[in-house]
Amino acid sequence: MKTPSSPLQRYALVTETYPPQVNGVANTLGHLCEGLLQLGHQVELVRPAQPGEQPGRDDAGDLSEQRVMGMPIPRYSELQVGRSARRLLTQIWSRRRPDAVYVATEGPLGWSALRAARRLGLPVVSGFHTNFHQYAEHYGLGMFGAAAGAYLRWFHNQSQLTLTASMTQQNELARLGIHNLAALGRGVDHERFHPRHRSAELRETWQAGDDDLVLLYVGRLANEKNLQLLVDTWRSLNEQPGQAASQLRLVLAGTGPLKRQLQKALPDALFTGNLNGPELARHYASADIFLFPSLTETFGNVVIEAMASGLAVNAFDLAAANQHIHDRYSGCLATAADERQFAENLRWLIDDAEGLRGVRLHARHSACQLTWDAVIERFAGYLQKAAATRTSPATDMMIRRGPSAQSGGSGRSG
């Protein structure tokens, strides 16, 4: 990574999830934190304590880590949010002021960090990593969707800049009423995720021969991932005349609240549980087609990981797929929510061996253009610009009162 020409600074990163937790937000924050350290900046990482850890503080060179109390998300015990820590953060940042604060998540910890930073007059940049307002409908909480959208609009309009994963997401947030948006993007480690990790031994455990096709899904097994479409599509494939079940294998990597339900619906599929490191890379490379039916992604890191691994991605024309796939050239794209087109694209990939081979080659080439170094340098630049601004401490009452204190819920408080 290049040495920055700008002055080295101290940044605070606040997130409710972080490695070794397995999700796209944790993966992204891990890369951003490590990247800032490699550029020579100092980082104050604020996150909830994970299982086996205790709340507390560690200082190791340029990285200071403040762990706070966490609590599980209702109906989703695998994930948690951090509890409010406004007083603690105010004390820490009063003693040693960061040049800028990046708030990656909008839960109680992120909210308290926003309050503390605004009270101290610290520049704040926020990140939009998860479409929580869309998730409400998938968990029987549709009545709260509008309220969640209003909260997200209020929250992000308290920061100087909100970073998004893609241009499509940036446009969606602008329609939601969030101002001062910028696309950060995502990178992929195309050496870690590489076709050379393909394993004949692993495919044998899947009972997949050289001429068989393995369809892979990687991600949470949860309602918001639109996995009923995966179930319906798989059943339809195996019911079509001329399609021998022995020619196809389906592998699902991940865990979540729908695991048991999916195991019943897909008795012939293989469920691996969560995968990390070399095992995840080996599973990607040993498959042939990547299925991604989600309609709620802010980006979808798994899409570009699959592409880097040489898989043909079948997805909807959203987020990472929209930004990095050319239809039937480096993957297949269906119009959002067009389930019939999604199934037809998969059928084409299965039936056209030469087309599939070309898509896989072009997918790998496209993914190799996406580097984390470029994303991290862009991220550091946004933080540097924020640090160059100096604001007077905001009235804490405005932040305490929340969205209702602002006309239309979309204005800034200062």
Side-chain angles (χ1 to χ4, degrees), residues 213-216 228-251 266 268 289-291 314 339-352:
L213 293 179
V214 175
L215 281 55
L216 175 69
Q228 185 58 47
L229 175 57
L230 187 150
V231 172
D232 294 342
T233 302
W234 177 252
R235 287 175 175 171
S236 176
L237 283 174
N238 287 283
E239 290 171 357
Q240 291 183 15
Q243 179 62 64
S246 61
Q247 294 176 316
L248 300 174
R249 292 287 182 271
L250 176 62
V251 178
L266 299 167
D268 50 350
I289 298 172
F290 188 74
L291 300 181
N314 188 45
E339 296 185 356
R340 180 177 178 179
Q341 188 178 6
F342 183 91
E344 288 176 350
N345 285 343
L346 178 57
R347 183 78 260 176
W348 176 76
L349 288 170
I350 292 171
D351 289 344
D352 191 330

Side-chain angles (χ1 to χ4, degrees), residues 151-210:
Y151 170 71
L152 293 172
R153 178 170 57 244
W154 168 82
F155 184 98
H156 289 283
N157 282 338
Q158 299 295 322
S159 67
Q160 293 176 262
L161 182 68
T162 296
L163 302 182
T164 68
S166 65
M167 288 302 300
T168 54
Q169 185 194 46
Q170 185 171 330
N171 293 334
E172 291 172 6
L173 296 184
R175 287 193 293 271
L176 187 63
I178 297 176
H179 310 311
N180 291 351
L181 296 156
L184 177 62
R186 298 290 184 268
V188 63
D189 186 340
H190 47 77
E191 288 301 312
R192 174 186 174 192
F193 298 105
H194 196 290
R196 66 167 172 261
H197 300 308
R198 191 173 180 88
S199 168
E201 292 78 12
L202 179 58
R203 286 177 62 87
E204 285 180 9
T205 67
W206 297 340
Q207 297 182 337
D210 292 340

Side-chain angles (χ1 to χ4, degrees), residues 1 34 38 57 79 93 107 153 161 163 190 211 222 229 238 322 324 330 375 397 410:
M1 188 173 291
E34 182 61 31
Q38 289 182 10
R57 184 175 182 83
L79 299 178
W93 293 343
R153 178 170 57 244
L161 182 68
L163 302 182
H190 47 77
D211 296 329
L229 175 57
N238 287 283
N322 166 272
H324 300 299
S330 54
V375 174
M397 181 60 70
S410 60

